[in-house]
């Protein structure tokens, strides 16, 4: 399947961090089909490794992972590369995690299951916000 | 339930009985012991005083009587010594002396006489015709002849009246003669009769042979000699007074007696009184004390019963309150556990649902690419995908509702006018759609605002009104909403006259997933969410219902508005399973 043409000439580099393998796989396929350059990471450590190699434009981050808490990962992300926008996509929404996530610099907090189109919209918003 | 009440009643009654019994024993024992000791002490001291008093009286009377006898004897002695028998033999002189004696000693002397050794009264002065009376055979005469001075026992003699004599023996013309004076019995008797105490206390004199020397008040002792033996066996006090008790078998009475020897122990002055009479004052005091003790005891019993009845009532109330509180604690605990479970499940379901939805989305993406345009079931496939999406969203709705029941929401806290919120909520129900349902609002004027979340309150009211509307939709009916307040709380009542809730379901209405609506019509979370919200705000929601009469939900919200979610949060984020 070919990538769909996107509005931007250069593909958005996206880091998808979630320990739900099936979720990562299907979302990667869908996002790639929408023209995103998706790198998948299945745990916090893997995500940090990936960020060392590539400067991503945006990241989708789950909060509950087996090795690390997503908020911790978010803090590290922001330290390593503060230009990267982070969208939290989690099934564990609580008032506290939302507040903390936003405090640590997340661009948006989306809860699973999330409307795909809404996610894509948010990703574009995030990258355009980063570029301005 | 009734058995439980009955059992509790029985326990309470047995508890009251037990406590009352214990308190009665505890308070009565010292009271009885103290009263007993006091009464005993009082009895002892009364007895001692009584006997001391009687002893003194008897002793004094003994002295008086002894003194009287000695004086009379001295009178005669003096007469004998000063006049001599030769003068006295002259009856006119003797008469003169009698008058003199009578004048000096108040008619105590009845007569005077001189009796020669042969027992013939050779001179006589007195009211009787006793000149030349013959006394040789008389016992007293023989006794008197043997003694220089003599006082006889009481006897009837020739004049047939009780009297006794005092005599002085002289020698006249080489012959023993007696100067004899008769003592007026009445005067002597009066000395003894003076000793009267109470109704039955009197004195008498008895000689060694048991013959009465004075007139007893009544002939009490039938067998005087044995009485004398009883007296002599009795305890003898320091001053020679015998003290004891004797039983008068003929009248069935107990007597106390005090006896003192007289006239060189020839006679015995006996004072006796019925025991009952002697102790009359004591008895009266004992009766009064008894009445006081009885009244006191009665008061103790009554006060005990009164106070324990009250105390048991209070304990029962406290028990009831405690039980209610326990039930609330259990209910809260149950809700918290259910909340934790619900949140856990909600979180766990979110991930697979997300995958499912994304997979369906991916298939949709692929179908939209145009590769499958030729597929004849394309529309069916697309419909199925749409259905998967819809059901995914439904799942999401459920998990979000579950989470909102279970955890703190991010609602903004502000001052809310409950009356306004109620009107807003009612405004959502289109009058034309729900024409069979009428809304009645009975909102308190000047209802103070509460501090809380407007959306939460809306959610609660909407859930309650929605439920009422659902059940009234078919048959029609009235939904009444009323508000009220006191110093600390605001109260909201939402009631309907719908089909009501059966008793068996009433306790479960706030449980999550409990619903009587058909599948797809209700998640069973509405009331659970209401419960969670009201509890978090420190309030209370209760339900009462009767089948075919309607249902009433009562909400109490504290005026201060308190957010208890932090204390009560069923699901701390860190405990959420991945």
């Amino acid at each position: 399947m070919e990538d769909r043409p996107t509005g931007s000439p250069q593909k958005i580099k996206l880091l998808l961090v979630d320990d739900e393998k099936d979720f990562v796989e299907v979302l990667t396929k869908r996002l790639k089909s929408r023209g995103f350059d998706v790198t998948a990471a299945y745990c916090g450590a893997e995500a940090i490794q990936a960020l060392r190699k590539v400067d991503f434009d945006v990241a989708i981050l789950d909060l509950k992972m087996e090795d690390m808490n997503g908020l911790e990962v978010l803090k590290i992300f922001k330290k390593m590369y503060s230009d990267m926008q982070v969208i939290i996509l989690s099934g564990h929404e609580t008032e506290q995690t939302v507040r903390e996530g936003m405090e640590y610099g997340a661009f948006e907090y989306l809860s699973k299951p999330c409307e795909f189109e809404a996610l894509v919209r948010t990703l574009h918003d995030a990258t355009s916000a980063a570029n301005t | 339930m009734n058995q439980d009440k009955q059992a509790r009643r029985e326990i309470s009654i047995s508890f009251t009985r037990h406590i009352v019994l214990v308190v009665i024993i505890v308070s009565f024992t010292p009271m009885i012991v103290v009263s007993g000791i006091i009464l005993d002490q009082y009895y002892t001291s009364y007895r001692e005083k009584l006997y001391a008093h009687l002893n003194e009286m008897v002793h004094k009377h003994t002295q008086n009587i002894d003194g009287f006898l000695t004086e009379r004897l001295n009178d005669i002695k003096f007469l004998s010594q000063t006049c001599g028998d030769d003068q006295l033999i002259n009856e006119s002189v003797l008469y003169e002396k009698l008058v003199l004696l009578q004048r000096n000693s108040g008619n105590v002397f009845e007569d005077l006489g001189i009796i020669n050794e042969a027992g013939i009264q050779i001179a006589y002065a007195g009211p009787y015709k006793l000149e030349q009376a013959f006394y040789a055979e008389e016992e007293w005469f023989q006794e008197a002849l043997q003694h220089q001075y003599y006082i006889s026992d009481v006897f009837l003699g020739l004049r047939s009246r009780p009297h006794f004599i005092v005599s002085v023996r002289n020698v006249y013309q080489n012959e023993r003669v007696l100067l004899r004076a008769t003592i007026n019995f009445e005067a002597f008797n009066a000395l003894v009769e003076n000793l009267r105490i109470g109704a039955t206390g009197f004195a008498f004199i008895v000689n060694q042979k048991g013959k009465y020397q004075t007139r007893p008040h009544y002939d009490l002792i039938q067998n005087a000699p044995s009485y004398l033996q009883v007296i002599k066996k009795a305890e003898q006090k320091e001053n020679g007074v015998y003290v004891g008790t004797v039983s008068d078998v003929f009248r069935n009475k107990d007597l106390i007696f005090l006896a003192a020897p007289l006239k060189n122990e020839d006679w015995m002055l006996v004072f006796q009184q019925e025991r009952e009479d002697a102790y009359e004052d004591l008895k009266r005091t004992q009766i009064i004390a008894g009445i006081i003790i009885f009244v006191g005891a009665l008061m103790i019993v009554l006060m005990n019963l009164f106070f324990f009845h009250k105390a048991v009532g209070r304990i029962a109330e406290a028990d009831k309150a405690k039980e209610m509180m326990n039930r609330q604690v259990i209910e809260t605990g149950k809700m918290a556990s259910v909340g934790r479970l619900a949140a856990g499940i909600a979180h766990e379901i979110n991930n697979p649902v997300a995958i499912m939805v994304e997979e369906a989305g991916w298939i949709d993406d692929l179908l939209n690419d145009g590769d499958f345009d030729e597929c004849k079931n394309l529309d069916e496939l697309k419909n199925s995908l749409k259905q998967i999406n819809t059901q995914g969203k439904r799942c999401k709705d459920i998990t979000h509702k579950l989470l909102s029941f279970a955890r703190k929401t991010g609602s903004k806290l502000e001052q809310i006018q409950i009356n306004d919120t109620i009107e807003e909520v009612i405004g959502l129900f289109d009058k034309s759609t729900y024409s069979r349902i009428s809304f009645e609002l009975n909102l308190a004027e000047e209802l103070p605002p509460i501090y809380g979340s407007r959306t939460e309150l809306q959610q609660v009211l909407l859930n309650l009104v929605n439920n009422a509307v659902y059940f009234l939709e078919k048959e029609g009916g009235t939904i009444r909403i009323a508000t009220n307040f006191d110093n600390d709380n605001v109260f909201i009542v939402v009631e309907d006259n719908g089909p009501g809730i059966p008793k068996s379901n009433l306790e479960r209405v706030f449980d999550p997933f409990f619903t009587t609506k058909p599948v797809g019509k209700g998640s069973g979370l509405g009331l659970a969410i209401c419960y969670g919200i009201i509890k978090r705000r420190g309030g209370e929601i209760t339900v009462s219902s009767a089948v075919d009469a309607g249902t009433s939900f009562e909400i109490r919200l504290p005026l201060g508005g308190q957010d208890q979610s932090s204390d009560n949060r069923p699901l701390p984020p860190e405990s959420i399973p991945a």
Side-chain angles (χ1 to χ4, degrees):
Chain A
M1 175 178 173
E2 283 178 20
D3 293 345
R4 290 180 184 185
T6 60
S8 56
Q10 206 173 355
K11 280 186 175 182
I12 296 169
K13 287 196 286 269
L14 188 153
L15 177 60
L16 176 57
V17 192
D18 200 314
D19 62 350
E20 282 282 342
K21 206 168 168 241
D22 293 335
F23 182 72
V24 171
E25 277 174 6
V26 65
L27 201 60
T28 307
K29 284 191 269 185
R30 293 196 81 186
L31 287 169
K32 276 189 174 165
S33 78
R34 293 295 180 96
F36 290 94
D37 179 4
V38 184
T39 304
Y42 297 102
C43 63
E46 216 175 299
I48 292 161
Q49 285 279 328
L51 190 60
R52 287 212 177 98
K53 292 178 193 155
V54 184
D55 288 342
F56 291 99
D57 300 309
V58 63
I60 295 173
L61 180 62
D62 187 19
L63 282 187
K64 287 277 165 183
M65 286 179 293
E66 278 172 18
D67 64 337
M68 285 175 92
N69 183 330
L71 290 171
E72 292 298 316
V73 179
L74 171 62
K75 274 196 259 181
I76 296 167
F77 277 3
K78 283 288 164 185
K79 259 189 213 160
M80 283 173 69
Y81 184 45
S82 62
D83 283 351
M84 181 177 70
Q85 296 291 357
V86 180
I87 294 161
I88 296 171
L89 177 60
S90 172
H92 301 114
E93 181 197 72
T94 69
E95 190 190 3
Q96 194 188 356
T97 52
V98 173
R99 197 183 58 237
E100 283 179 356
M102 300 313 276
E103 271 172 19
Y104 295 147
F107 176 76
E108 186 59 282
Y109 195 114
L110 297 174
S111 59
K112 281 183 190 172
C114 170
E115 189 102 24
F116 184 69
E117 294 308 327
L119 176 65
V120 172
R121 226 171 16 248
T122 310
L123 284 169
H124 284 299
D125 289 349
T127 46
S128 52
N131 294 333
T132 53
Chain B
M1 198 69 183
N2 278 340
Q3 276 180 348
D4 196 33
K5 263 188 190 168
Q6 180 70 21
R8 211 174 293 170
R9 221 177 106 85
E10 274 167 21
I11 289 169
S12 137
I13 289 170
S14 106
F15 177 68
T16 315
R17 258 189 221 150
H18 186 76
I19 292 278
V20 167
L21 202 69
V22 166
V23 171
I24 285 174
I25 289 169
V26 166
S27 48
F28 274 24
T29 309
M31 196 173 90
I32 289 168
V33 169
V34 169
S35 307
I37 290 170
I38 288 173
L39 285 179
D40 183 61
Q41 289 285 322
Y42 186 72
Y43 171 76
T44 309
S45 107
Y46 183 86
R47 188 176 175 278
E48 275 170 13
K49 278 209 166 162
L50 175 75
Y51 276 102
H53 174 66
L54 293 177
N55 199 330
E56 203 186 318
M57 296 265 286
V58 168
H59 187 63
K60 258 189 192 164
H61 272 76
T62 313
Q63 284 178 336
N64 277 351
I65 294 163
D66 262 339
F68 174 85
L69 293 174
T70 314
E71 261 179 51
R72 298 298 80 81
L73 191 59
N74 285 342
D75 286 344
I76 302 300
K77 263 193 213 167
F78 182 73
L79 183 66
S80 159
Q81 283 161 9
T82 49
C83 293
D85 290 327
D86 49 346
Q87 277 186 50
L88 293 175
I89 218 154
N90 181 340
E91 281 192 348
S92 63
V93 173
L94 198 62
Y95 194 81
E96 227 173 76
K97 294 299 172 191
L98 176 65
V99 171
L100 200 70
L101 278 175
Q102 281 178 337
R103 198 179 298 150
N104 287 339
S105 54
N107 289 334
V108 165
F109 290 101
E110 255 180 26
D111 58 12
L112 285 174
I114 308 278
I115 303 166
N116 69 11
E117 205 173 324
I120 297 165
Q121 187 155 257
I122 50 176
Y124 175 75
Y128 303 100
K129 293 195 169 166
L130 292 172
E131 295 88 357
Q132 298 302 313
F134 182 65
Y135 294 117
E137 302 295 317
E138 300 291 331
E139 198 184 327
W140 63 267
F141 172 73
Q142 284 159 19
E143 285 285 325
L145 217 54
Q146 303 300 319
H147 297 90
Q148 177 74 48
Y149 309 108
Y150 178 68
I151 302 171
S152 76
D153 284 348
V154 174
F155 60 97
L156 290 174
L158 295 175
R159 67 194 73 179
S160 300
R161 286 183 61 186
H163 64 284
F164 67 94
I165 57 119
V166 292
S167 68
V168 177
R169 190 187 66 195
N170 287 321
V171 177
Y172 177 64
Q173 294 173 348
N174 295 325
E175 194 185 1
R176 290 179 292 177
V177 290
L178 294 177
L179 171 59
R180 169 198 73 95
T182 305
I183 306 295
N184 184 306
F185 178 75
E186 294 303 327
F188 177 69
N189 199 46
L191 283 179
V192 181
E193 276 213 322
N194 276 344
L195 185 54
R196 290 292 305 271
I197 294 172
T200 60
F202 67 93
F204 57 86
I205 291 172
V206 66
N207 71 4
Q208 290 293 352
K209 290 172 191 159
K211 275 192 172 172
Y212 294 120
Q213 301 304 303
T214 55
R215 248 195 331 262
H217 193 56
Y218 55 88
D219 194 13
L220 194 60
I221 306 299
Q222 303 288 329
N223 46 352
S226 72
Y227 189 17
L228 214 59
Q229 282 162 15
V230 171
I231 288 172
K232 288 202 168 160
K233 277 182 195 161
E235 184 192 358
Q236 199 170 13
K237 298 284 179 186
E238 279 170 18
N239 51 11
V241 176
Y242 295 93
V243 176
T245 56
V246 63
S247 176
D248 178 0
V249 287
F250 295 101
R251 297 196 309 128
N252 198 21
K253 297 266 183 200
D254 276 340
L255 307 169
I256 59 165
F257 67 78
L258 290 95
L262 273 175
K263 196 169 135 281
N264 292 325
E265 305 203 353
D266 277 352
W267 292 354
M268 192 73 89
L269 174 72
V270 181
F271 171 82
Q272 74 162 46
Q273 192 175 10
E274 283 180 12
R275 195 189 163 82
E276 246 174 55
D277 184 33
Y279 287 97
E280 178 69 23
D281 284 348
L282 177 71
K283 204 175 155 192
R284 201 177 305 129
T285 312
Q286 279 175 332
I287 288 171
I288 291 170
I291 290 170
I292 290 171
I293 290 168
F294 177 76
V295 170
L298 200 69
M299 292 287 279
I300 289 175
V301 172
L302 290 179
M303 292 298 258
N304 259 332
L305 284 174
F306 177 70
F307 282 115
F308 281 102
H309 186 71
K310 265 194 147 181
V312 167
R314 290 232 173 121
I315 290 169
E317 266 175 35
D319 265 357
K320 225 172 167 183
K322 194 179 148 197
E323 198 190 323
M324 218 156 138
M325 203 176 268
N326 276 347
R327 212 180 293 159
Q328 279 179 354
V329 167
I330 290 168
E331 185 66 12
T332 310
K334 187 176 94 184
M335 284 305 192
S337 313
V338 170
R340 245 178 241 124
L341 184 71
I345 291 169
H347 283 135
E348 285 311 300
I349 283 174
N350 276 345
N351 274 321
V353 169
I355 295 168
M356 199 179 78
V357 170
E358 290 309 328
E359 290 289 1
W362 176 233
I363 294 170
D364 194 43
D365 286 351
L366 293 177
L367 293 181
N368 285 339
D369 276 348
D371 295 349
F372 299 93
D373 282 354
E374 300 303 315
C375 181
K376 63 176 180 183
N377 287 329
L378 184 64
D379 287 343
E380 282 295 315
L381 280 173
K382 285 197 171 177
N383 273 343
S384 288
L385 288 173
K386 207 172 161 193
Q387 194 55 239
I388 291 171
N389 248 317
T390 310
Q391 297 311 320
K393 267 183 201 155
R394 196 170 149 198
C395 284
K396 189 183 173 179
D397 270 356
I398 291 171
T399 56
H400 276 236
K401 276 183 186 169
L402 270 177
L403 288 170
S404 76
F405 158 68
R407 69 163 185 235
K408 192 173 178 179
T409 59
S411 308
K412 195 173 117 195
L413 298 181
E414 58 191 322
Q415 294 284 342
I416 323 160
Q417 262 301 341
I418 291 179
N419 287 350
D420 296 349
T421 313
I422 290 170
E423 276 165 3
E424 279 164 28
V425 168
I426 297 301
L428 295 174
F429 292 87
D430 180 16
K431 295 264 155 55
S432 58
T433 315
Y434 302 102
S435 56
R436 306 184 65 177
I437 298 168
S438 61
F439 290 92
E440 271 179 27
L441 298 186
N442 185 11
L443 307 179
E445 282 175 24
E446 294 175 12
L447 189 75
I450 62 153
Y451 187 70
S453 157
R454 183 184 302 277
T455 49
E456 274 182 1
L457 186 64
Q458 277 172 343
Q459 200 177 356
V460 170
L461 291 168
L462 201 58
N463 273 329
L464 295 179
V465 175
N466 243 335
N467 276 345
V469 164
Y470 176 84
F471 287 109
L472 290 179
E473 229 169 351
K474 237 184 191 174
E475 305 284 329
T478 309
I479 298 170
R480 286 186 200 87
I481 304 178
T483 53
N484 212 336
F485 63 100
D486 63 14
N487 287 341
D488 306 311
N489 300 291
V490 169
F491 303 95
I492 309 168
V493 179
V494 179
E495 58 182 358
D496 64 64
N497 55 0
I501 305 168
K503 212 174 172 188
S504 54
N505 288 346
L506 208 58
E507 282 184 6
R508 299 171 61 201
V509 291
F510 295 116
D511 289 358
F513 301 116
F514 177 78
T515 182
T516 55
K517 294 176 188 171
V519 178
K521 288 277 183 185
S523 62
L525 288 168
L527 287 178
I529 289 168
C530 292
Y531 181 91
I533 289 171
I534 299 295
K535 279 277 164 185
R536 272 202 301 278
R537 298 296 165 215
E540 227 172 6
I541 178 165
T542 54
V543 61
S544 52
S545 182
V547 174
D548 293 334
T551 306
S552 166
F553 285 91
E554 282 167 38
I555 298 171
R556 177 186 66 78
L557 280 168
L559 267 179
Q562 72 191 97
D563 187 351
Q564 294 194 339
S565 49
S566 53
D567 309 328
N568 219 1
R569 188 166 49 209
L571 186 66
E574 56 273 18
S575 71
I576 299 167

